[in-house]
Amino acid sequence: MSNTLVVVGAQWGDEGKGKITDFYAGGADVVVRHQGGNNAGHTIVFDGKKFALQSIPSGIFNPHIINIMANGMVINPVSVIEELERLHSAGITDYKLYISDRAACVMPYHAALDGAYESLKEGNQIGTTKKGIGPAYKDKYSRVGIRMGDLLDKEYFADRLKNALLEKNLELKSLGLPTYDFDALYAQYLELGERLRPMICDTSVLLNRLIEENKKVLFEGAQGVMLCIDHGTYPYVTSSSPTAASVPVNTGVAPRYVNNVIGVAKAYTTRVGEGPFPTELFDERAEYIRERGHEYGTVTGRPRRVGWLDTVVLNHVRRISGLDYLALMLFDVLTGLDKIRICTGYKLDGKAIDYVPSTINQLSRVEAQYIELDGWSEDITGVKSYDELPANAKAYIAKVEELTKTEVVVVSVGPDREQTIIRKDIF
Ligand code: GDP
Ligand code: IMO
Ligand code: MG
């Protein structure tokens, strides 16, 4: 058993990463969120209570766990404080949380620009969460970003903000948007920095020390590999990389610590936002799955698009992220379907292919090829062990393992922490 485990979304996000992270957090010492920001919505259910986390790591409910928001994230301080207040009012007050001084800070102009750029793309929208994620990463890479540690140094922050506003106000003006006044923004973000000061530190130093002390570390990804800026369905992606390979850069640890990866996949597929989706369903089966799975976005409330499980996608993710194991989520949602399909390959212009084409032009033309399996009708939401599952449910899992060459070590049969079937201890 390894001392680290990476939780990777193996589809287009919302696979149940929050549930899996919270589940494994029971045996962990540290939980690290490594990319994305409050575009994520990770749902955790236990003791009859439901929580939706956005930027805060899913280990927050465990008082002994050290939670880290790493340098690869884009952090909106206003949203973090609101999230903490929500946790406090739900009685979650005993926790350990650290924020990287090198993480990018999401500023109010980022959200404004996110919305404006989406409007400009009339008819070609990405369907972003409008949280300013893309513009914040853009500023990071064009070197005009503000980092969380900057907020703690008055003079330095003043320079950084002046420098940023020089560009940002020009950009906002050109889009017909209101510009930002230095004094007001400076005062507001200095104050936010002061509130978060006790949590802001060099999290790479902290994390490396914990790893040297042999602590057990969970790396929690946001989004999914199909939304990866490099390996996803570009341009219909987010602006960071949710792969396991990005963990070392995003957290400041050596790659040798990232050797144990669990891919989290729904037993079917969903996607929220625009972009190609080869196994998408448009009939009453989509409606059935959407209603049973409560497939409405955690962050934006949008109905999620629904389709069959796609093993071309899972194999793409396995190759890129090196999946050692799979967690098969929302398995209970498939109950009651007479026949269940799994996509095993694509046809592109009449030719069989087993990979995800790089252009949207090609990907939107592929025809998914399926096998069909018999469904089951028994309620499985109370099933505690793999052996108790109906034969057809077991056959479905075996087929997924065969097609992805990856062991399904977790089968999730309901949103609650308790509704989790463990087939093998991996962490
Ligand atoms: P994440 O973004 O990957 O953490 O996933 P989300 O929280 O956005 O979406 C997953 C949704 O499925 C949440 O509403 C969970 O509570 C719910 N969920 C997770 N596992 C299961 C499961 O096995 N069965 C059912 N019915 N719901 C689940
Ligand atoms: P979790 O961590 C599902 C999608 C958006 C949009 C695209 C770009 O909960 O799985 P962005 O605001 O990131 O620039 O939007 O990415 N998206 C997600 N979809 N789950 C998420 O996170 C997502 N985060 C972003 O809907 O299509
Ligand atoms: Mg989500």
Side-chain angles (χ1 to χ4, degrees):
M1 262 190 271
S2 172
N3 260 355
T4 62
L5 179 66
V6 187
V7 176
V8 172
Q11 293 159 326
W12 278 276
D14 301 328
E15 299 92 345
K17 297 174 295 291
K19 170 171 171 168
I20 286 297
T21 307
D22 166 73
F23 181 83
Y24 282 117
D29 302 299
V30 186
V31 176
V32 189
R33 247 296 287 276
H34 70 92
Q35 37 73 233
N38 62 345
N39 50 347
H42 294 184
T43 318
I44 289 121
V45 180
F46 59 91
D47 297 342
K49 283 175 288 190
K50 179 169 161 176
F51 299 91
L53 296 172
Q54 291 191 251
S55 300
I56 290 177
S58 299
I60 202 75
F61 306 103
N62 242 301
H64 76 272
I65 288 187
I66 295 176
N67 289 278
I68 294 177
M69 297 167 65
N71 56 278
M73 290 188 71
V74 284
I75 298 175
N76 180 331
V78 178
S79 158
V80 170
I81 288 168
E82 279 171 10
E83 232 181 302
L84 286 172
E85 280 166 358
R86 277 202 299 276
L87 287 169
H88 294 169
S89 54
I92 313 291
T93 49
D94 188 11
Y95 55 79
K96 300 187 185 79
L97 179 64
Y98 297 94
I99 297 172
S100 169
D101 49 9
R102 288 174 172 78
C105 180
V106 181
M107 301 295 287
Y109 45 77
H110 291 135
L113 290 167
D114 199 349
Y117 286 131
E118 278 286 89
S119 311
L120 276 183
K121 292 192 184 83
E122 234 184 76
N124 258 324
Q125 271 129 342
I126 290 167
T128 75
T129 58
K130 300 199 178 138
K131 300 289 181 190
I133 305 300
Y137 275 118
K138 195 166 157 187
D139 279 3
K140 166 177 171 166
Y141 287 103
S142 63
R143 295 160 294 183
V144 290
I146 310 273
R147 308 208 292 186
M148 293 303 289
D150 301 353
L151 306 180
L152 308 183
D153 182 331
K154 274 187 179 172
E155 280 91 52
Y156 184 66
F157 177 44
D159 284 348
R160 293 297 302 162
L161 185 61
K162 273 180 198 147
N163 186 51
L165 283 181
L166 224 71
E167 274 188 28
K168 294 290 110 185
N169 277 341
L170 271 179
E171 202 178 337
L172 290 159
K173 218 181 279 175
S174 75
L175 290 160
L177 294 171
T179 54
Y180 284 83
D181 170 54
F182 170 83
D183 292 331
L185 206 54
Y186 180 64
Q188 185 193 355
Y189 276 75
L190 263 189
E191 156 74 17
L192 289 164
E194 280 315 307
R195 288 186 67 181
L196 295 175
R197 182 184 283 277
M199 298 174 208
I200 299 175
C201 65
D202 186 329
T203 54
S204 163
V205 169
L206 171 66
L207 185 55
N208 278 278
R209 200 190 72 220
L210 293 164
I211 291 174
E212 274 160 29
E213 288 169 3
N214 239 355
K215 296 284 195 266
K216 295 186 75 165
V217 183
L218 262 176
F219 294 99
E220 176 181 17
Q223 289 85 47
V225 175
M226 297 312 285
L227 290 171
C228 172
I229 186 76
D230 274 273
H231 300 285
T233 49
Y234 190 88
Y236 296 97
V237 292
T238 190
S239 301
S240 65
S241 176
T243 61
S246 74
V247 168
V249 177
N250 284 342
T251 63
V253 303
R256 66 176 171 278
Y257 299 124
V258 181
N259 54 9
N260 202 27
V261 184
I262 187 161
V264 185
K266 279 177 177 161
Y268 47 96
T269 310
T270 62
R271 174 163 204 171
V272 59
E274 303 307 319
F277 181 0
T279 63
E280 187 164 10
L281 279 167
F282 298 97
D283 58 18
E284 66 286 350
R285 291 171 298 183
E287 208 46 47
Y288 183 81
I289 293 173
R290 186 176 299 112
E291 292 314 309
R292 283 182 61 83
H294 307 291
E295 295 294 0
Y296 295 88
T298 316
V299 177
T300 56
R302 293 176 286 181
R304 293 176 184 148
R305 299 157 65 193
V306 171
W308 297 120
L309 187 72
D310 185 341
T311 60
V312 179
V313 161
L314 293 185
N315 282 315
H316 177 83
V317 173
R318 175 170 64 93
R319 193 171 57 249
I320 284 152
S321 229
L323 304 184
D324 298 299
Y325 314 103
L326 270 177
L328 202 59
M329 310 301 290
L330 293 103
F331 197 50
D332 53 298
V333 173
L334 296 182
T335 300
L337 286 166
D338 187 32
K339 300 281 180 192
I340 305 171
R341 289 182 168 193
I342 302 178
C343 168
T344 56
Y346 298 154
K347 260 191 182 169
L348 176 62
D349 304 331
K351 188 172 161 270
I353 60 167
D354 63 356
Y355 59 89
V356 180
S358 73
T359 69
I360 293 309
N361 219 348
Q362 292 195 347
L363 188 55
S364 46
R365 282 210 311 279
V366 303
E367 290 166 47
Q369 307 298 302
Y370 296 102
I371 52 166
E372 194 166 75
L373 281 76
D374 290 327
W376 60 91
S377 55
E378 298 90 333
D379 177 11
I380 58 170
T381 54
V383 169
K384 296 282 174 213
S385 74
Y386 180 73
D387 290 339
E388 289 170 58
L389 286 170
N392 287 349
K394 281 192 266 201
Y396 184 88
I397 296 166
K399 191 49 92 178
V400 173
E401 290 185 311
E402 180 195 320
L403 292 167
T404 60
K405 300 184 190 71
T406 310
E407 248 181 304
V408 172
V409 295
V410 177
V411 182
S412 178
V413 291
D416 198 278
R417 207 185 255 171
E418 302 294 319
Q419 293 172 298
T420 315
I421 300 172
I422 293 298
R423 296 179 70 199
K424 185 177 183 175
D425 281 334
I426 58 162
F427 180 63

